[in-house]
Amino acid sequence: KKVILGAAALMFAAVGFAQVTPVTDTDGNVSPLVGLVAPIGGAAAAANTGQSIQNGNGNGVLVRQAGSRMSVKTVQNNGAGTGFNMAQVWQTGNVAPGPSGFENAAEVLQSGSINESSTLQEGDYNQALTRQGQNNLASSGNKASIRQGTGDQAQDNYAAIDQDGDTNQAQTQQTYDNSSAWTQQVGNDNWSRINQNAGPNQTDGHLASVEQTGNDNASDIMQSGAGAENSAQAIQVGDDNYAKQIQTTDAVAGGTGNSALVNQGLGSINATLIGSIWNGQLLAVDDVDNGAFSGDGSYGGTAFQTQSGSENVAEAHQYGAAGVDGNYSEQNQAGFSDDAFIVQNAFGNPAGGANYARQDQDSNSSNSQAGIAQNGFNHKAYQRQTGDDNNAMSTQRGNSNIVNTYQD
């Protein structure tokens, strides 16, 4: 098996690659000739470029580039085998006079199963993409991680992970401001985590988006920082999926808070949050989105949303219509001028049942509002608010439903 290590093997000037003698391994496999490689899309002009291509199973590659405006592409094809390939990409450099660690791009493509990919980028305006399985739903057990940021110098970075198949894992970590992370997983029993920290440097927040299609998938999004303006959204289509979103900030009143959206069952993320307790006081009153959506699938979903600070918005949409397992949604907000909304089994279908929605707005959550809309039977709704000038509304259509509202 061929293992390519070090920057010497993979760092080439953008003006062109020197032609090298093909390498033949002990099995008689001949390496391809290295030719001119165009910079990866999004890389800066005149970037250094590197490319690694490995065919077969059990291969490993390590790429290290130090500096700015660099681009590297790693491809590991499993041929007719399983995979077991490993790729590591390091693009390093502290942002300093020069600068360094700036406008780099990294792309990793892995086919088959049980592959691992790890990408580290330091600095600003970097882009990282990892794709595993590549539209092969038979793949499984792949792991991908992307880490962007170093010290207090990291902003405007972009990270994307795309995985196909079952039992895959995706993890993204970004520090400091104005970065975005996107994860897509198609299959069952997949797990995704995005951790973003908007530190004291500008602190304009991050964007995290997760899309999962299949059953028994899990998504975790954690966003924190001294500022706010973080945005988290998760869409899950299938049964028994789990979504958790935690947003923490100490931003004061008058700023822009965090926003969180979980959508289980609809099949698309709304362009904007509904907000204001569903278009102003629960669509005056009830209706519960009376429309044509069939509401099939997406049973047994669980959504947790936790926010601290002020002027935050949290929404959970669960659209399973019929099935043995109902959906559960819980929202916790600590602060003031917060907005929370849960809708379960909308679009006028009375067949949904056994959903449970819970909202807690505490720690003197003044000037906050909470809304719940449920359609079907055997639903439960719980709302609790502490503080002054709060507003709680709920509506249930169907039979054998229960609602409890507490204001202290």
Side-chain angles (χ1 to χ4, degrees):
K1 301 294 187 272
K2 297 178 292 296
V3 179
I4 302 175
L5 299 175
L10 292 169
M11 294 175 60
F12 308 96
V15 295
F17 288 94
Q19 295 295 322
V20 297
T21 303
V23 176
T24 302
D25 64 15
T26 56
D27 296 325
N29 299 314
V30 180
S31 66
L33 286 174
V34 178
L36 181 64
V37 179
I40 296 173
N48 294 321
T49 61
Q51 184 181 51
S52 170
I53 299 176
Q54 294 175 316
N55 298 313
N57 307 315
N59 296 307
V61 60
L62 168 61
V63 181
R64 181 171 181 178
Q65 295 176 317
S68 297
R69 297 182 171 91
M70 298 169 299
S71 175
V72 63
K73 182 174 184 178
T74 296
V75 180
Q76 292 176 319
N77 295 314
N78 69 322
T82 301
F84 291 99
N85 294 309
M86 178 177 292
Q88 290 182 301
V89 177
W90 298 346
Q91 292 176 322
T92 62
N94 294 319
V95 176
S100 179
F102 184 79
E103 289 187 358
N104 295 314
E107 182 176 354
V108 177
L109 305 179
Q110 294 177 317
S111 301
S113 300
I114 320 179
N115 298 300
E116 293 189 27
S117 172
S118 175
T119 300
L120 169 65
Q121 293 178 318
E122 299 175 343
D124 301 340
Y125 305 102
N126 297 307
Q127 299 185 40
L129 168 64
T130 300
R131 298 188 61 202
Q132 295 176 318
Q134 301 176 69
N135 301 317
N136 177 16
L137 295 180
S139 63
S140 65
N142 293 309
K143 297 179 180 179
S145 68
I146 296 176
R147 170 73 167 91
Q148 293 176 318
T150 177
D152 61 355
Q153 302 286 346
Q155 64 184 28
D156 296 287
N157 293 308
Y158 172 80
I161 297 176
D162 184 5
Q163 296 175 316
D164 301 316
D166 302 335
T167 63
N168 297 308
Q169 297 181 18
Q171 183 162 332
T172 301
Q173 183 174 355
Q174 295 172 318
T175 54
Y176 298 91
D177 40 287
N178 289 313
S179 293
S180 59
W182 177 83
T183 299
Q184 176 175 286
Q185 295 174 316
V186 179
N188 304 317
D189 297 297
N190 294 308
W191 174 80
S192 168
R193 170 173 289 174
I194 296 176
N195 190 344
Q196 296 171 318
N197 176 19
N201 182 24
Q202 298 185 19
T203 63
D204 286 334
H206 294 292
L207 167 66
S209 179
V210 177
E211 299 184 29
Q212 294 175 317
T213 301
N215 303 323
D216 298 297
N217 294 310
S219 167
D220 291 340
I221 297 176
M222 292 168 287
Q223 296 173 319
S224 61
E229 297 187 57
N230 291 303
S231 176
Q233 53 188 24
I235 175 172
Q236 296 174 319
V237 178
D239 300 336
D240 301 310
N241 292 311
Y242 173 93
K244 180 172 70 175
Q245 298 169 331
I246 300 176
Q247 295 175 318
T248 305
T249 179
D250 57 4
V252 298
T256 301
N258 298 310
S259 62
L261 170 65
V262 173
N263 195 324
Q264 294 176 322
L266 183 58
S268 64
I269 296 178
N270 294 336
T272 59
L273 296 175
I274 296 175
S276 300
I277 330 187
W278 193 22
N279 288 336
Q281 314 308 304
L282 285 175
L283 209 58
V285 167
D286 201 349
D287 189 58
V288 198
D289 264 350
N290 190 24
F293 181 69
S294 63
D296 55 347
S298 297
Y299 316 126
T302 302
F304 290 97
Q305 295 172 304
T306 301
Q307 296 174 317
S308 66
S310 62
E311 300 180 3
N312 296 307
V313 178
E315 289 191 17
H317 306 169
Q318 295 175 319
Y319 293 98
V324 176
D325 298 323
N327 296 307
Y328 177 81
S329 182
E330 180 177 322
Q331 297 171 327
N332 295 276
Q333 294 176 320
F336 48 88
S337 299
D338 292 325
D339 193 337
F341 173 66
I342 297 173
V343 59
Q344 293 176 322
N345 185 38
F347 296 98
N349 191 330
N355 293 312
Y356 184 14
R358 175 173 180 142
Q359 296 172 316
D360 289 274
Q361 293 176 323
D362 51 23
S363 297
N364 295 317
S365 56
S366 302
N367 296 297
S368 296
Q369 53 186 7
I372 295 175
Q374 295 173 319
N375 183 34
F377 58 94
N378 292 332
H379 293 314
K380 294 180 180 179
Y382 175 94
Q383 296 169 302
R384 186 181 185 93
Q385 295 173 317
T386 64
D388 302 328
D389 300 310
N390 295 310
N391 184 17
M393 296 186 69
S394 60
T395 178
Q396 294 175 321
R397 180 188 294 189
N399 58 75
S400 302
N401 298 311
I402 300 174
V403 60
N404 292 295
T405 302
Y406 301 90
Q407 292 177 315
D408 298 330

